[in-house]
């Protein structure tokens, strides 16, 4: 089988969704870990240093390109599949199946993904664009100049209830997207052993709760003045 | 006139000799020869696939939407083979002997011996195809026992053996379709055989979607169209199972063998009411572990579980201690009828007996499992729980099916069962080569009369269907086709095709033009009632004579008052059904005629006039040791031809399962 | 078991043929026994229609014991109706109560075009099997059936997958009209057995390719197929297919 046949087949496309999804899950781990530094209670020193490392070291910068490419692939492929799949039933049912047999979030990956995409655009505009393109206020730690990303977070979230709510909703979408996506990614790769499937299901649900919750607490923490 | 073409020589050498000496068709010539296969059950699918593999150009037809749906798929219990994997004394001879005896000495020795010989190849073939037979922990094939035998020779796949075997054959068939060797026509029904100069040369088929009739040429035609149990309306057959293809062949000159030999299966879910459209079998394999009983008291209205052990009559174990619950089907059915007729029946209709698993669930399986787990002195609840797991693995799907239909849980309460029409041993008369008396027209599987005599043993139908299709026809058809290699395909514009198609179209037009008042279904139900009451489990001269008159009247009424809505050139399920019921009506008359003619009891055919003192079937070998082959002469007019049965190896005796 | 009788309102899809526009027709049926099967209730309705001089409703059915896979009704928003692990023919009327309205539609998927009323064309399934759903052995092999011992666990799993009846409920239920449960059941049945091992790579690639050609959607593991499968075929088979496919296609050395 040629590469082109593989990447255009339905199962090949699913494998791409799975692999790109797993890469994005790995990214979330890094992202949530770094951002958790805001809770170091040092006025963002550790956080700004960590952000600086990610922005200046060559390895994360190269990975960042991969990250954007993966996002792009995952989003485009996801949307394409969603529309292609919908077109496979031109005439629909008068009585819909609803959630008989399939939980709502399993059938709503396209919708959840789109919500996350909208959130992502806002999120990039809030942080990535100023940090990489338009520039941020400098802050001096031990005499060295850093971007004050911590202050940027404060300015985005403090006194801005609407943004905080949008971020929490974004994290909510992410959580449900992950509940399905995490285990589905492994099943799409061929995981058939029920012992491991059970393990992946548990880890997946844990991950889907903990990571989005941690993300959601970040804007809330700023808004409520916990940091 | 009837030449069964049984090869000379010793019984066990006949088939080997035949294969060594039959004529062959070389590969280049095979490609020029076209074969029509009608029906895609075990016999049809295996034949079509095997002939395609050999290089013949095959056209296969089925009325369903896919060849995988043929009713062989519903066979539950298993398939027999003389493998002797259990080291319990089985052999080709013993399988042969059991089958002849089970058939009450009304089958041909040569055919049955060949069947027993190739049975072992069938298992090898199916395993190679990937049929997932049940296995033991050591990875080897498992066996269970079936009625009428004292060895474990039945191979199975839970309660879905027919499904697994059919899917194996279906996959082999689809492989040949993909290779271009077989052309598949689904949703097509054969409506006539075209005979030219005494040889079968094609068929007229109707496309059930467009309603159009089509002509198809073939150097030979194979009818693998199953049995005709639906003549009784209620049977375990599929709704679409019909006699039409065989009946058309019969009207074109093919003899019908032993039409009255019908198998009434002892373990089916009882009828609940007039709405009933079909009956559901509970596999005979259940009699391995289920014990059949009725209350000792007449009209006992207590619930099954409230009747204490000592008040239960395990009548099969009582009457037949040697075989117990595993007596052949005809014997078990009659015994159930006897008990119910005598007022010991159970359930609301009193037309049922109990099939109870509790004893073996606890004592056979529960104890073994408990011992495996090292549980000493287990209590009953533990045994029930452990036993259930095993029973579930063996028969889970059957128990589920029973519960869905009846709403009762057979793990907790005994099943209620009653005999129902299941299989027809009779069918088109064929010779040793499976050819009917029309040259080039063959009948395979349940559609022919050949191997089961007057009663078929459990797990032998699958064996015969596959034997005919995989291992017999590929040899015997070559012996005929070797002389046909010079025959060019006959254009379907030939006069015989024209005539046959015109006759088919006229009949359809006549049917739809009647525009009467009664539905096809109502006629079918009435026919079924006549057949069940007068040509069913017990038959007598008076009843059969009445039945013939009633059927003739029903036929007149049908052809003057049937109502078929819709049009011809479209999908019209009522029209399809009307043609089939019309044929069933004619067949019903012949069955009664045959039953009337055979004034003896043998196997599934029980004439009340001919029984022993204790109610067992009494044969009259001096008068009836023959195959009744009926020739169609005209409406309600048949001529009987007799093929004498010669027993060279087995000495017929009164069957004894006591 | 208490038996009762009921009156029902039925809304059934009627469509004269493949190219006609269809619509729902409403019918009343009376005195339906709870002991009837769902299809027997349809028999009653059809008899009533014939009596009234109307055309009966065309629907696929044959064995009526849950194994041939022919029956295919989408009942009140669920293929084969409300019962779990049940075909339409095995669904019994005690699943309904007096006064219920029952909506019956054909399987809906581009790959299953409607032939008439509730009858659909599922020949795409046959073509998928033709693409590789078999072991390439000709009749007449001489290897003894017991020559290849097979681990019972694998044999049981293969059997569970092979129990598929090809009814198409999985496609009917899937929001993507995906046939993956059907295809994966066949791929698993043969991949789990040593007999199927030789052809396993080509089989999975060819069957998936044919499935895509037939116009089925792709799998997103919504699990609806497994929930409605009358034979309770496990969705794990789809995972197995995915693994088989990845291995086969990545190992293939065609450029």
């Amino acid at each position: 089988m040629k590469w082109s046949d593989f990447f255009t087949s339905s199962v090949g496309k699913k494998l791409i969704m799975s692999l790109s999804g797993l890469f994005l899950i790995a990214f979330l781990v890094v992202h949530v870990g770094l951002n958790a530094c805001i809770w170091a209670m040092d006025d963002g020193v550790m956080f700004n240093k960590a952000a600086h490392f990610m922005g200046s070291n060559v390895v994360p910068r190269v990975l960042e390109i991969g990250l954007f490419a993966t996002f792009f692939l995952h989003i485009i492929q996801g949307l394409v599949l969603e529309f292609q799949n919908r077109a496979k039933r031109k005439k629909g049912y008068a009585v819909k199946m609803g959630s008989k047999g399939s939980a709502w979030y399993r059938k709503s990956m396209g919708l959840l993904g789109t919500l996350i995409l909208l959130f992502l655009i806002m999120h990039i505009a809030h942080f990535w664009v100023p940090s990489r393109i338009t520039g941020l206020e400098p802050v001096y730690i031990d005499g060295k100049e850093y971007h004050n990303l911590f202050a940027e977070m404060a300015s985005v979230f403090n006194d801005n209830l609407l943004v905080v709510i949008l971020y929490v909703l974004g994290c909510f979408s992410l959580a449900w997207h992950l509940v399905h996506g995490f285990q589905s990614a492994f099943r799409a790769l061929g995981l058939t052993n029920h012992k491991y499937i059970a393990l992946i299901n548990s880890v997946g649900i844990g991950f889907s709760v903990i990571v989005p919750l941690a993300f959601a607490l970040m804007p809330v923490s700023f808004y409520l003045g916990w940091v | 006139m009837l030449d069964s073409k049984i090869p000379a020589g010793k019984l066990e050498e006949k088939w080997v000799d035949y294969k060594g000496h039959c004529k062959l068709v070389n590969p280049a010539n095979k490609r020029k020869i076209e074969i029509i296969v009608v029906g895609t059950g075990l016999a049809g699918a295996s034949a079509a696939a095997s002939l395609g593999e050999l290089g013949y150009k095959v056209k296969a037809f089925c009325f369903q939407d896919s060849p995988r749906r043929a009713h062989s798929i519903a066979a539950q219990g298993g398939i027999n083979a003389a493998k002797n994997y259990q080291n319990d004394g089985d052999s080709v001879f013993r399988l042969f002997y059991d089958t002849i005896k089970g058939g009450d000495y009304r089958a041909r020795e040569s055919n049955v011996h060949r069947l027993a010989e190739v049975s072992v190849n069938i298992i090898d073939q199916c395993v190679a195809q990937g049929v997932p037979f049940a296995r033991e922990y050591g990875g080897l094939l498992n066996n269970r026992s079936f009625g009428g035998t004292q060895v474990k020779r039945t191979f199975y796949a839970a309660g879905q053996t027919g499904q697994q075997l059919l899917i194996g054959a279906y996959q082999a068939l689809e492989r040949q379709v993909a290779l271009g060797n077989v052309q598949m026509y689904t949703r097509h029904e054969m409506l006539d055989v075209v005979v030219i100069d005494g040889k079968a040369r094609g068929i007229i088929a109707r496309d059930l979607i467009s309603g159009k009739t089509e002509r198809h040429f073939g150097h030979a035609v194979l009818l693998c169209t199953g049995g005709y149990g639906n003549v009784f309306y209620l049977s375990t057959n599929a709704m679409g199972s019909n006699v039409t293809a065989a009946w058309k062949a019969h009207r074109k000159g093919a003899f019908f063998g032993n039409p009255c030999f019908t198998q009434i299966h002892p373990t089916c879910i009882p009828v609940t009411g007039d709405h009933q459209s079909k009956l559901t079998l509970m596999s005979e394999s259940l009699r391995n572990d289920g014990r059949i009983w009725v209350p000792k008291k007449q009209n006992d209205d207590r619930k099954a579980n409230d009747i204490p052990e000592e008040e239960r009559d395990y009548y099969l174990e009582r009457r037949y201690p040697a075989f117990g619950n595993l007596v052949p089907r005809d014997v078990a059915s009659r015994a159930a009828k006897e008990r119910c007729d005598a007022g010991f029946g159970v359930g609301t209709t009193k037309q049922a007996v109990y099939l109870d698993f509790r004893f073996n669930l606890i004592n056979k399986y529960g104890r073994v499992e408990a011992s495996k787990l090292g549980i000493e002195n287990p209590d009953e609840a533990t045994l029930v729980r452990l036993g259930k797991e095993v029973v579930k693995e063996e028969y889970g799907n059957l128990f589920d099916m029973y519960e869905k239909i009846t709403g009762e849980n057979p793990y907790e309460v005994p099943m209620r069962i009653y005999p129902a029409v299941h299989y027809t041993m009779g069918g088109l008369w064929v010779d040793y080569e499976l050819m009917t008396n029309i040259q080039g027209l063959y009948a395979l599987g349940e559609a022919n009369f050949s191997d089961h005599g007057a009663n078929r043993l459990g797990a032998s139908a699958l064996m015969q269907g596959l034997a005919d299709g995989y291992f017999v026809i590929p040899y015997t058809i070559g012996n005929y086709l070797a002389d046909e290699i010079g025959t060019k395909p006959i254009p379907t514009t030939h006069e015989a095709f024209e005539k046959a198609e015109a006759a088919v179209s006229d009949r359809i037009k006549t049917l739809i033009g009647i525009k009467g008042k009664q539905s096809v279904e109502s006629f079918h139900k009435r026919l079924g009632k006549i057949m069940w009451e007068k040509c069913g489990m017990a038959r007598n001269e008076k009843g059969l004579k009445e039945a013939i008159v009633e059927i003739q009247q029903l036929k007149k009424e049908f052809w003057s008052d049937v109502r078929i809505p819709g049009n011809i050139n479209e999908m019209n399920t009522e029209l399809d059904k009307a043609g089939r019921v019309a044929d069933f009506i004619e067949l019903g008359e012949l069955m009664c005629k045959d039953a009337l003619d055979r004034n003896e009891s043998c196997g599934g055919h029980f004439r009340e006039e001919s029984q022993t003192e204790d109610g067992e079937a009494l044969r009259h070998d001096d008068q009836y040791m023959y195959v009744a082959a009926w020739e169609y002469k005209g409406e309600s007019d048949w001529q009987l031809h007799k093929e004498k049965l010669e027993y060279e190896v087995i000495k017929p005796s009164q069957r004894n399962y006591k | 078991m208490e038996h009762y009788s009921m009156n029902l309102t039925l809304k059934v899809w009627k469509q004269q043929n493949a190219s006609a526009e269809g619509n729902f027709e409403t019918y009343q049926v009376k005195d339906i026994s709870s002991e009837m099967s769902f299809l027997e209730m349809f028999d009653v309705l059809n008899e009533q229609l014939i009596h009234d001089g109307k055309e009966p409703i065309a629907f696929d059915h044959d064995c009526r014991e849950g194994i041939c896979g022919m029956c295919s009704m989408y009942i009140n928003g669920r293929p084969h109706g409300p019962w779990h692990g049940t075909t339409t023919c095995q669904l019994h009327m005690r699943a309904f109560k007096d006064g219920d309205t029952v909506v019956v539609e054909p399987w809906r998927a581009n790959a299953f075009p409607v032939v008439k009323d509730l009858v659909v064309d599922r020949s795409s399934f046959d073509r998928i099997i033709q693409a590789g759903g078999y072991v390439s052995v000709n009749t007449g092999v001489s290897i003894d059936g017991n020559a290849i011992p097979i681990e019972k666990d694998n044999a049981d799993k293969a059997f569970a997958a092979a129990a598929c009846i090809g009814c198409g409920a999985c496609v009917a239920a899937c929001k993507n009209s995906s046939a993956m449960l059907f295809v994966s059941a066949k791929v698993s049945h043969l991949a789990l057995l040593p007999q199927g091992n030789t052809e396993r790579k080509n089989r999975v690639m060819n069957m998936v390719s044919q499935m895509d050609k037939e116009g089925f959607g792709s799998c997103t593991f919504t699990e609806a197929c497994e929930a409605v499968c009358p034979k309770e075929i496990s969705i794990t088979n789809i995972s197995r297919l995915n693994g088989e496919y990845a291995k086969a296609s990545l190992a293939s050395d065609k450029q």
Side-chain angles (χ1 to χ4, degrees):
Chain A
M1 177 175 285
K2 296 185 207 163
W3 287 117
S4 57
D5 293 339
F6 175 74
F7 287 117
T8 52
S9 79
S10 59
V11 180
K13 286 184 208 162
K14 175 72 183 164
L15 279 165
I16 290 167
M17 288 306 287
S18 149
L19 291 171
S20 56
L22 288 173
F23 184 78
L24 296 176
I25 283 170
F27 158 71
L28 286 178
V29 176
V30 176
H31 190 15
V32 79
L34 280 172
N35 281 28
C37 295
I38 61 166
W39 289 307
M41 298 304 170
D42 56 356
D43 291 329
V45 170
M46 191 198 278
F47 174 71
N48 278 335
K49 277 187 176 173
H52 177 80
F53 169 79
M54 294 302 281
S56 57
N57 188 292
V58 66
V59 175
R61 291 309 302 268
V62 171
L63 281 176
E64 188 177 44
I65 297 167
L67 178 67
F68 272 94
T70 308
F71 261 120
F72 187 74
L73 193 64
H74 194 81
I75 291 163
I76 297 297
Q77 184 82 283
L79 288 171
V80 166
L81 277 174
E82 177 75 20
F83 287 111
Q84 279 179 348
N85 283 337
R86 280 179 187 217
K88 303 293 184 195
R89 180 173 289 135
K90 291 209 178 81
K91 171 98 193 149
Y93 291 110
V95 184
K96 302 276 185 290
M97 256 186 87
S99 52
K100 282 174 249 167
S102 176
W104 68 272
Y105 56 89
R106 295 198 192 282
K107 296 192 292 192
S108 312
M109 290 299 275
L111 174 70
L112 291 166
T114 308
L115 290 175
I116 297 168
L117 174 63
L118 295 175
F119 164 79
L120 193 66
I121 293 167
M122 177 177 76
H123 184 53
I124 286 174
H126 278 153
F127 298 107
W128 188 85
V129 171
S131 153
R132 294 281 185 276
I133 302 167
T134 53
L136 284 170
E137 295 280 308
V139 61
Y140 296 91
I141 301 166
D142 304 332
K144 212 172 149 198
E145 188 184 315
Y146 292 89
H147 278 166
N148 195 350
L149 200 57
F150 188 77
E152 181 68 14
M153 276 179 90
S155 79
V156 168
F157 298 129
N158 288 352
D159 308 321
N160 209 339
L161 185 60
L162 180 66
V163 172
V164 172
I165 289 172
L166 287 177
Y167 267 70
V168 171
L169 287 177
C171 292
F172 189 76
S173 304
L174 178 66
W176 286 111
H177 197 75
L178 281 171
V179 169
H180 177 72
F182 193 96
Q183 45 88 31
S184 173
F186 285 93
R187 289 154 93 174
L189 287 175
L191 183 70
T192 55
N193 183 309
H194 288 106
K195 193 168 60 185
Y196 294 110
I197 288 178
L199 185 70
I200 290 289
N201 281 347
S202 312
V203 172
I205 288 171
F207 186 91
S208 316
V209 172
I210 294 165
V211 172
L213 187 67
F215 276 128
L217 280 175
M218 289 167 194
V220 171
S221 297
F222 277 101
Y223 187 78
L224 297 178
W226 294 345
V227 291
Chain B
M1 176 146 185
L2 279 176
D3 178 9
S4 54
K5 292 195 237 161
I6 298 168
K10 278 195 194 157
L11 183 63
E12 62 275 19
E13 289 166 9
K14 284 179 198 286
W15 180 234
V16 179
D17 273 0
Y18 179 90
K19 287 195 288 181
H21 296 99
C22 65
K23 285 179 258 182
L24 299 173
V25 181
N26 87 22
N29 285 327
K30 282 193 183 113
R31 282 194 286 278
K32 294 182 208 151
I33 289 182
E34 298 174 38
I35 300 173
I36 286 173
V37 179
V38 185
T40 58
L42 283 181
S46 60
S50 303
L51 296 172
E53 287 161 11
L54 288 172
Y56 293 110
K57 277 162 74 177
V58 179
K59 284 181 173 181
F61 295 79
C62 68
F63 71 80
Q64 300 92 340
D65 73 330
S66 163
R68 68 179 294 152
R69 315 231 188 263
H71 198 54
S72 304
I73 204 154
Q76 298 170 351
I79 177 166
N80 287 331
K83 281 284 197 186
N84 193 29
Y85 283 159
Q86 303 301 325
N87 195 31
D88 57 359
D90 200 10
S91 64
V92 167
F93 183 83
R94 211 178 275 277
L95 173 53
F96 155 73
Y97 178 83
D98 285 347
T99 308
I100 291 278
K101 179 186 172 194
D104 220 355
Y105 307 96
R106 290 293 176 266
R108 251 186 231 146
E109 274 190 337
S110 56
N111 284 51
V112 176
H113 198 275
R114 174 178 67 191
L115 176 67
E117 285 170 63
V118 303
S119 69
V120 294
N121 305 107
I122 296 171
I123 300 305
D124 298 342
Q125 179 65 29
C126 295
V127 168
Q129 287 172 344
V131 170
F133 284 119
R135 286 176 185 268
E136 312 205 29
Y137 282 100
L140 301 180
L141 295 162
N142 203 354
N143 293 110
R144 54 167 62 139
S145 37
F146 254 66
T149 66
Q150 289 175 312
V151 293
K152 277 167 77 169
R153 64 159 73 99
T154 305
F155 295 79
Y156 65 99
Q160 289 152 260
T161 318
Q163 181 201 23
Q164 293 309 314
L165 295 173
L166 182 64
I167 286 178
Y170 156 76
Q171 288 171 188
L173 171 63
E174 292 296 356
R175 174 171 161 249
Q176 293 308 309
V177 173
L179 292 170
N181 298 327
V182 177
Q183 208 176 342
M184 188 66 228
Y185 295 83
T186 58
R187 294 200 198 264
H188 274 67
E189 180 159 37
M190 185 201 111
L191 290 180
D192 209 357
V193 186
V194 178
V195 180
I196 300 174
D197 298 332
K199 291 177 174 176
R201 292 301 190 192
I203 62 166
I204 305 298
R206 183 163 171 268
D207 178 334
L208 298 181
I209 293 179
S210 69
K212 295 202 170 63
T213 45
E214 299 170 358
R215 306 169 189 182
H216 295 274
F217 165 79
H219 286 87
V221 176
L222 274 53
L223 302 183
C224 314
T225 48
Y228 48 85
N230 267 347
V231 68
F232 292 87
Y233 184 72
L234 285 181
S235 80
T236 64
N237 285 5
M239 303 304 286
S241 300
N242 64 78
V243 75
T244 290
W247 196 252
K248 301 302 183 192
H250 175 57
R251 288 182 63 119
K252 273 278 161 87
F255 294 175
F256 214 103
N258 296 335
C260 79
F261 286 172
T262 315
Q263 178 161 81
I264 316 279
H265 195 292
T267 52
C268 300
I269 301 178
V271 177
T272 55
D274 287 339
H275 57 263
Q276 195 108 16
S277 62
K278 81 152 270 159
L279 295 170
T280 305
L281 176 75
M282 286 286 110
S283 168
E284 174 162 326
S285 60
L286 293 172
R287 286 198 273 144
N288 267 307
D289 293 314
R291 298 176 71 198
I292 294 177
W293 62 274
V294 290
K296 280 186 180 163
K297 208 169 74 185
Q298 278 177 326
N299 300 316
D300 194 332
D301 282 332
R302 286 176 292 177
K303 284 185 179 153
N305 288 340
D306 296 340
I307 301 176
E309 192 62 29
E310 61 277 9
E311 291 177 41
R312 298 176 177 191
D313 176 17
Y314 294 92
Y315 58 87
L316 286 178
E317 295 170 27
R318 170 170 59 79
R319 284 178 66 177
Y320 308 100
F323 281 69
N325 292 297
L326 285 175
V327 290
R329 291 175 176 176
D330 54 336
V331 177
S333 291
R334 270 197 297 279
K337 180 178 172 0
E338 187 275 327
R339 283 291 84 186
C340 292
D341 289 351
F344 295 92
V346 299
T348 43
T349 58
K350 299 288 173 201
Q351 290 291 302
V353 299
Y354 288 126
L355 177 61
D356 195 341
F357 298 90
R358 199 165 174 86
F359 181 82
N360 281 317
L361 194 140
I362 294 173
N363 293 300
K364 184 166 157 192
Y365 294 122
R367 291 205 190 278
V368 171
E369 290 302 299
S371 137
K372 272 191 208 162
L373 296 169
I375 304 173
E376 282 180 39
N377 302 322
D379 57 11
E380 192 167 301
T382 313
L383 290 172
V384 168
R385 181 173 54 80
L386 295 170
K388 254 187 204 173
E389 309 253 314
V390 188
V391 169
K392 202 177 171 102
E393 186 174 324
E394 292 280 316
Y395 313 110
N397 67 319
L398 301 173
F399 277 49
D400 290 348
M401 189 150 71
Y402 183 85
E403 187 169 0
K404 271 171 205 159
I405 294 172
T406 63
E408 291 173 358
N409 179 354
Y411 293 101
E412 307 291 338
V413 294
M415 284 184 180
R416 283 174 297 109
I417 52 153
Y418 197 70
V421 176
H422 177 56
Y423 185 90
T424 48
M425 283 73 69
L428 290 175
W429 181 89
V430 291
D431 60 23
Y432 187 73
E433 298 183 310
L434 304 181
M435 197 195 282
T436 64
N437 56 307
I438 297 177
Q439 291 278 297
L441 181 68
Y442 293 81
L444 280 66
E446 192 180 348
N448 72 29
F449 87 102
S450 74
D451 295 351
H452 306 296
N455 173 56
R456 179 175 66 75
L457 288 184
S460 284
L462 304 184
M463 173 171 69
Q464 188 221 337
L466 290 179
D468 288 358
Y470 281 135
F471 295 106
V472 178
I473 198 72
Y475 293 93
T476 60
I477 203 169
N479 203 36
Y480 170 73
L481 292 172
D483 296 332
E484 294 291 329
I485 52 176
T487 309
K488 294 264 174 331
I490 299 169
T492 53
T493 48
H494 187 284
E495 179 197 18
F497 277 97
E498 300 258 355
K499 265 183 155 167
E501 191 187 350
V504 166
S505 301
D506 285 350
R507 188 170 187 263
I508 292 173
K509 276 183 208 138
T510 308
L511 274 173
I512 209 156
I514 296 168
K515 301 207 183 300
K517 288 194 189 64
Q518 303 176 60
S519 70
V520 177
E521 199 77 0
S522 65
F523 282 105
H524 196 180
K525 273 191 187 174
R526 283 165 62 192
L527 173 68
K529 197 164 181 310
I530 299 171
M531 293 301 291
W532 179 245
E533 283 173 0
K534 296 182 171 160
C535 194
M537 260 194 286
R539 302 152 176 190
N540 61 50
E541 186 183 339
K542 181 170 167 281
L544 289 166
K545 282 185 172 160
E546 285 167 6
I548 291 173
V549 175
E550 287 170 32
I551 293 170
Q552 284 171 348
Q553 278 164 356
L554 188 73
K555 186 174 165 184
K556 271 194 207 126
E557 205 177 320
F558 178 89
W559 284 97
S560 58
D561 198 31
V562 73
R563 170 182 289 184
I564 303 165
N567 301 305
I568 294 172
N569 285 324
E570 63 178 6
M571 184 178 223
N572 187 338
T573 47
E574 284 301 305
L575 179 57
D576 307 343
K577 211 158 59 179
R580 295 170 193 165
V581 171
D583 294 335
F584 275 135
I585 294 175
E586 294 180 12
L587 166 78
E589 188 181 343
L590 177 62
M591 286 172 72
C592 294
K593 203 172 162 61
D594 185 41
L596 185 62
D597 182 76
R598 191 175 283 275
N599 190 9
E600 65 161 348
S601 295
C602 60
H605 171 63
F606 189 74
R607 279 289 295 266
E608 286 168 351
E609 297 91 337
S610 180
Q611 49 183 309
T612 63
E613 273 175 17
D614 45 0
E616 303 292 340
L618 183 64
R619 288 199 325 268
H620 298 298
D621 289 349
D622 50 334
Q623 300 170 59
Y624 297 102
M625 188 75 108
Y626 61 75
V627 175
W630 297 89
E631 182 185 2
Y632 181 81
K633 289 288 192 186
E635 301 298 320
S636 298
D637 184 13
W638 286 273
Q639 187 187 340
L640 174 64
H641 301 269
K642 296 175 185 174
E643 180 202 337
K644 200 167 160 18
L645 291 166
E646 313 271 0
Y647 285 91
E648 293 169 7
V649 175
I650 292 180
K651 220 175 122 239
S653 58
Q654 207 65 38
R655 280 192 309 172
N656 181 6
Y657 292 98
K658 293 192 174 184
Chain C
M1 199 79 222
E2 280 298 309
H3 305 305
Y4 55 97
S5 76
M6 65 195 94
N7 299 336
L8 299 169
T9 304
L10 296 172
K11 288 186 179 164
V12 184
W13 184 257
K14 285 287 289 175
Q15 182 174 334
Q16 197 54 32
N17 53 51
S19 50
E21 284 284 313
N23 62 284
F24 281 99
E25 293 274 349
T26 305
Y27 307 96
Q28 307 292 333
V29 283
K30 290 199 167 63
D31 298 324
I32 298 298
S33 156
S34 62
E35 285 185 286
M36 280 186 196
S37 73
F38 194 78
L39 295 184
E40 283 166 352
M41 184 270 289
F42 259 73
D43 293 341
V44 170
L45 171 61
N46 273 347
E47 282 294 288
Q48 188 180 307
L49 290 172
I50 294 165
H51 181 263
D52 298 345
K54 292 181 190 146
E55 259 200 78
I57 298 156
F59 61 94
D60 264 334
H61 64 116
D62 200 25
C63 78
R64 295 208 179 183
E65 47 189 285
I67 195 77
C68 76
M70 196 123 171
C71 58
S72 48
M73 292 184 185
Y74 183 92
I75 302 159
N76 281 350
R78 209 181 137 104
H80 294 306
W83 284 359
H84 185 75
T86 306
T87 55
T88 302
C89 65
Q90 294 292 80
L91 174 65
H92 277 64
M93 293 312 293
R94 62 180 186 275
F96 301 92
K97 54 185 197 304
D98 191 33
D100 277 357
T101 297
V102 185
V103 184
V104 186
E105 304 175 64
W107 282 179
R108 296 284 189 201
N110 300 355
F112 286 167
V114 172
V115 173
K116 182 174 185 177
D117 299 346
L118 301 171
V119 176
V120 299
D121 176 0
R122 287 168 286 189
S123 54
S124 45
F125 272 14
D126 286 337
R127 289 188 293 274
I128 292 173
I129 297 296
Q130 283 161 25
Y134 44 74
V135 176
S136 296
V137 286
N138 284 358
T139 304
V141 287
S142 54
I143 310 166
D144 186 82
N146 255 349
I148 323 160
I150 300 173
E151 193 187 338
K152 188 174 185 304
D153 193 33
N154 275 349
D156 289 349
K157 278 185 192 153
F159 169 74
C164 167
I165 57 173
C167 65
C170 46
V171 175
C174 178
K175 77 174 180 68
N176 307 329
S177 308
S178 171
M180 279 286 271
L181 194 65
F182 168 77
V183 180
S184 70
K186 189 45 63 196
V187 166
S188 290
H189 160 209
L190 297 172
L192 284 161
L193 297 173
Q195 294 93 322
N197 196 35
T198 321
E199 298 169 276
R200 68 195 296 171
K201 289 184 187 146
N202 282 327
R203 176 182 306 119
V204 68
M205 291 192 294
N206 293 340
M207 288 181 76
V208 167
S209 158
Q210 187 64 34
M211 173 185 82
D212 290 350
K213 255 185 242 163
E214 296 290 348
F216 293 103
S218 65
C219 172
T220 55
F221 286 105
T222 68
E223 299 179 351
C225 54
E226 185 185 55
V228 303
C229 176
K231 296 293 139 183
E232 299 172 294
I233 306 285
S234 165
I235 198 168
T236 309
N237 290 308
I238 299 186
S239 302
R240 187 174 291 105
L241 181 149
N242 280 319
E244 292 283 323
Y245 187 84
K247 272 185 273 178
S249 50
L250 296 175
S252 155
D253 69 354
K254 270 192 211 143
Q255 286 196 309

